Amino acid sequence: MTTPVSPFSFVLETPAATPEEARRHFLAKLSVETDPADVQLDLERGKKGFVVVDVRAKEAYAERHVPGAFNLPARTISAETTAHLSKDDVIITYCWGPGCNGSTKAAARFAALGFRVKEMIGGIEYWVKEGHATEGTAPRGTPVYAKRGDT
């Protein structure tokens, strides 16, 4: 049986952006996002100019975090807790994964304090899924999951 052809399209209901509008949009998106593969490669290469910040709770950070990342829970970000950071560096925030907006909230807080910031999309979940090494007390292979109220 063939599916009837409909004149309506969910995909095309809203017209696509012009190529220039699309280019501007995607460049703007890339200016505030990065991903685990790019962060890992730059860390591996010893690149400078950015600092990785795990914005989850202290206990979650202790269990597993990106090597070299430091912990600053999202709700504790303030002028006082960030005074030791250089505004010359880009702050890379991450939390649990796509289902967690703690890194988004943290990025907004850092930006409000005058820092340039990017969010590492996918968080620690995708860092682990991509096979990158972690530091912490959790044995390798332990599932990554968020506990309620953990950012």
Side-chain angles (χ1 to χ4, degrees):
M1 175 177 255
T2 60
T3 304
V5 177
S6 170
F8 177 79
S9 170
F10 289 100
V11 172
L12 302 176
E13 176 181 22
T14 302
T18 67
E20 184 55 30
E21 289 169 330
R23 185 181 81 74
R24 281 194 308 270
H25 166 79
F26 290 114
L27 287 174
K29 187 174 177 179
L30 289 170
S31 74
V32 294
E33 293 180 351
T34 189
D35 66 19
D38 289 348
V39 172
Q40 191 279 330
L41 189 57
D42 273 2
L43 288 172
E44 184 179 280
R45 292 177 174 176
K47 293 291 185 186
K48 305 291 182 207
F50 66 93
V51 177
V52 181
V53 182
D54 184 317
V55 302
R56 300 172 301 146
K58 291 177 186 178
E59 298 77 20
Y61 173 83
E63 288 176 8
R64 178 184 288 134
H65 59 270
V66 171
F70 77 89
N71 183 231
L72 187 59
R75 290 186 180 97
T76 69
I77 295 169
S78 68
E80 294 74 30
T81 62
T82 61
H84 67 287
L85 298 171
S86 169
K87 291 192 177 169
D88 292 333
D89 290 329
V90 173
I91 305 297
I92 308 297
T93 63
Y94 76 88
C95 62
W96 284 104
C100 175
N101 66 4
S103 61
T104 305
K105 291 174 183 177
R109 287 183 175 137
F110 275 110
L113 293 169
F115 289 92
R116 293 176 303 136
V117 63
K118 288 190 174 198
E119 181 179 20
M120 186 176 79
I121 59 173
I124 193 73
E125 177 184 354
Y126 277 74
W127 182 272
V128 170
K129 281 184 178 185
E130 291 182 15
H132 305 308
T134 60
E135 295 176 339
T137 60
R140 189 162 179 85
T142 303
V144 176
Y145 64 95
K147 297 174 188 105
R148 188 168 181 91
D150 200 20
T151 55

